[in-house]
């Protein structure tokens, strides 16, 4: 594992901010001993904790784990092709930088959260605000641990600051059931405290609905279907979320943190280092300014399989993907690329788009899935919530005549989640959660260029070799790597 004492004293220097939630600037001289003194210190530290979600190992390169591994996208044909191609074709090395990036970035930000939770009780401040800051921090810690356990399985569960080498080396891999239990505890603590909404200046912070939605997803992932259904219905019953009438409006930069947003990773363009790279990263290579200012890198290219997955008349298709662009000379250039994320950057990779982690359409589809797993009922509530998403997409409603069995409904949810949430990092983890990753991807082995058939070993990724090398007694590799 990373050396927590080093993380605590150096890498985990927290971010400051002005009165605006997203105006984040680094503090270069703060340490845990001298920084945590006032309510504003904790506000700044917590804002830095939100900013930590932007890291490449978390949201920044999440498509490598959630999309390139699946049948949705393929790796770029140049640049970091080898590192991403390992995910695309499943010959992932234990030294892959995306693997170490996820582990290191996750534990860096977890160290921030643990320090906040350790220090905040010592400070005199408004008790209501203190309680909320604790709840926000627990929510964020749960989100990151959920990312870790989905990626690696058993992971070290560290819940307090670690300041000495000996203590750092004492942590081995905690069984994932215990990690999930802690995630559930943190989210339950958070949902009981967090507000339903915020004033405009604090939009984007963790809410009661976000905690409930994540808890529902955690239950669903563990196949606790009744618990998942109950918790996701609580999100719906809050009455603060809704599907926007237009799918395209969900992703417009000017419409961030809209009524469909449950929890996004926040970005802000303008040259402050808080911009989103995805619009430039996903635009076609060699396209100049034809698709987006400052050009594109061609990452995360859609497959023919996902393009063909959209039903005729699905309004989401043209919002999400394109198969060509027109260059400066007026020529139509065939090239598949993701167009769901778009902005007009002031510099390359400095876009204002948020990255959605959970939105209301996801909640509705998870709720329908959970209801169906509890027990298939023809034309009952599960159909209602599935059809809410389909209707917004311009598609006909599904009935029991179309989906006469529980298994048929499962496949319909799988299809709907694929196209509704395309390129948002869900596809691989959805397939793993439902036990469908191996049969689905192996059935497309030649098409998606798998090196060999997937097995159970491929359902989690390798632990970074560097973590094993520095703590051989405690950190063991996942089978098959």
């Amino acid at each position: 594992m990373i050396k927590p004492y080093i993380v605590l004293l150096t890498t985990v220097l927290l971010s400051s901010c002005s009165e605006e939630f997203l105006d984040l600037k680094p503090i270069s001289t703060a340490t845990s001993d001298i920084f945590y003194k006032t309510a504003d210190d904790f506000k700044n530290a917590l804002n830095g904790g939100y900013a930590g979600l932007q890291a490449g190992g978390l949201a920044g390169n999440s498509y490598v784990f959630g999309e390139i591994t699946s049948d949705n996208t393929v790796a770029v044909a140049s640049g970091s092709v080898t590192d991403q191609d390992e995910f695309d074709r499943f010959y992932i090395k234990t030294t892959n930088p995306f693997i170490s990036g996820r582990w290191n970035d996750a534990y860096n930000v977890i160290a921030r959260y643990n320090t906040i939770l350790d220090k905040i009780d010592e400070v005199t401040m408004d008790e209501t605000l203190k309680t909320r800051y604790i709840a926000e921090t627990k929510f964020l810690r749960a989100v990151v641990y959920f990312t870790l356990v989905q990626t690696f399985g058993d992971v070290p569960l560290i819940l307090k600051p670690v300041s000495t080498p000996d203590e750092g080396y004492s942590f081995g891999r905690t069984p994932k059931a215990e990690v999930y239990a802690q995630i559930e505890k943190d989210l339950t603590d958070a949902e009981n405290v967090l507000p339903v909404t915020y004033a405009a200046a604090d939009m984007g912070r963790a809410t009661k609905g976000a905690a409930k939605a994540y808890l529902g997803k955690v239950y669903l992932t563990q196949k606790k279907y009744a618990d998942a259904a109950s918790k996701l219905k609580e999100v719906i019953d809050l009455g603060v979320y809704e599907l926007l009438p237009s799918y395209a409006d969900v992703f417009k930069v000017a419409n961030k943190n809209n009524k469909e947003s449950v929890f996004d990773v926040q970005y802000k363009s303008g040259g402050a280092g808080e911009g989103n790279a995805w619009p430039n990263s996903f635009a076609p290579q060699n396209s100049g300014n034809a698709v987006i200012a400052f050009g594109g890198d061609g990452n995360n290219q859609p497959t023919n399989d996902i393009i063909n997955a959209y039903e005729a008349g699905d309004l989401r298709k043209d919002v999400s993907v394109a198969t060509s662009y027109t260059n400066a000379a007026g020529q139509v250039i065939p090239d598949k690329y993701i167009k769901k994320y778009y902005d007009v950057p002031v510099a390359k990779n400095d876009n204002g788009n948020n990255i959605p982690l959970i939105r209301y359409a996801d909640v509705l589809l998870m709720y329908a899935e959970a209801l169906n797993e509890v027990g298939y009922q023809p034309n009952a509530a599960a159909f209602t919530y599935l059809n809410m998403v389909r209707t917004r997409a311009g598609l006909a409603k599904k009935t029991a005549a179309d989906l006469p069995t529980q298994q048929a409904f499962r496949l319909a949810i799988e299809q709907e989640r694929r196209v509704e949430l395309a390129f948002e990092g869900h596809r691989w983890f959805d397939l793993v959660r439902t036990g469908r990753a191996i049969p689905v991807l192996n059935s497309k082995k030649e098409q998606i260029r798998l090196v060999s058939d997937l097995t159970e070993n491929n359902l989690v990724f390798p632990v970074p070799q560097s973590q094993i090398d520095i703590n051989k007694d405690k950190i063991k590799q996942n089978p098959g790597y």
Side-chain angles (χ1 to χ4, degrees), residues 21-22 54 203-204 256-257 264-268 274 354:
F21 170 45
L22 292 179
Q54 298 173 354
M203 291 293 288
K256 294 195 299 185
N257 299 315
D264 293 358
V265 178
Q266 305 290 314
Y267 289 85
K268 183 178 181 180
E274 299 295 330
N354 288 348

Side-chain angles (χ1 to χ4, degrees), residues 228-471:
S230 176
K231 191 56 60 178
L232 293 164
K233 185 61 163 58
E234 289 177 20
V235 181
I236 295 167
D237 289 345
L238 287 173
V240 298
Y241 304 108
E242 61 186 44
L243 295 180
L244 300 191
S246 168
Y247 186 75
D249 287 347
V250 176
F251 305 98
K252 290 180 179 177
V253 176
N255 204 24
K256 294 195 299 185
N257 299 315
N258 56 64
K259 295 285 283 186
E260 192 164 333
S261 170
V262 179
F263 188 69
D264 293 358
V265 178
Q266 305 290 314
Y267 289 85
K268 183 178 181 180
S269 62
E274 299 295 330
N276 184 349
W278 279 15
N280 288 107
S281 182
F282 297 165
Q285 289 181 301
N286 305 314
S287 58
N289 294 328
V291 172
I292 190 170
F294 307 103
D297 299 324
N299 279 295
N300 207 25
Q301 187 178 74
T303 61
N304 287 328
D305 195 68
I306 180 62
I307 290 171
N308 294 333
Y310 290 91
E311 298 172 54
D314 192 329
L315 300 175
R316 297 169 293 198
K317 183 175 183 180
D318 287 342
V319 174
S320 301
V321 294
T323 57
S324 66
Y325 65 91
T326 302
N327 68 13
Q331 300 170 307
V332 176
I333 309 298
D335 204 342
K336 298 185 290 293
Y337 64 95
I338 295 167
K339 57 184 289 192
K340 178 180 265 187
Y341 307 100
Y342 178 76
D343 192 17
V344 181
V346 297
K348 189 169 183 179
N349 299 331
D350 186 26
N351 296 276
N353 316 66
N354 288 348
I355 293 178
L357 296 188
I358 292 189
R359 53 187 178 86
Y360 193 49
D362 187 5
V363 170
L364 298 178
L365 293 174
M366 287 193 293
Y367 182 50
E369 179 181 337
L371 288 175
N372 183 60
E373 293 301 328
V374 170
Y376 172 81
Q377 296 183 36
N379 297 322
F383 281 83
T384 299
Y385 290 98
L386 167 63
N387 286 327
M388 287 174 64
V389 176
R390 288 182 59 79
T391 299
R392 199 260 299 268
L395 300 176
K397 294 180 179 180
K398 294 287 188 181
T399 69
D402 306 302
L403 309 174
T405 66
Q406 185 182 54
Q407 179 61 15
F409 195 93
R410 285 174 178 148
L411 295 178
I413 287 289
E414 180 180 299
Q415 158 66 14
E416 207 63 40
R417 287 184 64 82
R418 187 183 187 190
V419 292
E420 172 67 30
L421 304 172
F423 319 123
E424 296 178 42
H426 296 276
R427 175 64 170 171
W428 165 255
F429 297 106
D430 279 351
L431 291 174
V432 172
R433 184 187 76 246
T434 59
R436 294 271 294 157
I438 292 172
V440 168
L441 298 186
N442 284 349
S443 71
K444 305 172 183 179
K445 179 180 175 181
E446 299 301 323
Q447 179 184 344
I448 61 176
R449 304 180 307 121
L450 291 179
V451 171
S452 59
D453 285 344
L454 297 188
T455 70
E456 292 290 326
N457 290 340
N458 299 114
L459 300 183
V460 291
F461 299 98
V463 174
Q465 188 62 42
S466 59
Q467 308 309 315
I468 295 171
D469 289 345
I470 65 173
N471 201 1

Side-chain angles (χ1 to χ4, degrees), residues 76-89:
V76 64
S78 64
S80 60
V81 59
T82 301
D83 298 330
Q84 294 190 26
D85 189 65
E86 290 177 17
F87 286 82
D88 190 24
R89 301 174 65 194

Side-chain angles (χ1 to χ4, degrees), residues 35-49:
F35 177 61
Y36 296 93
K37 300 297 184 184
T38 69
D40 279 346
D41 290 342
F42 282 94
K43 176 183 177 181
N44 294 338
L46 181 54
N47 287 355

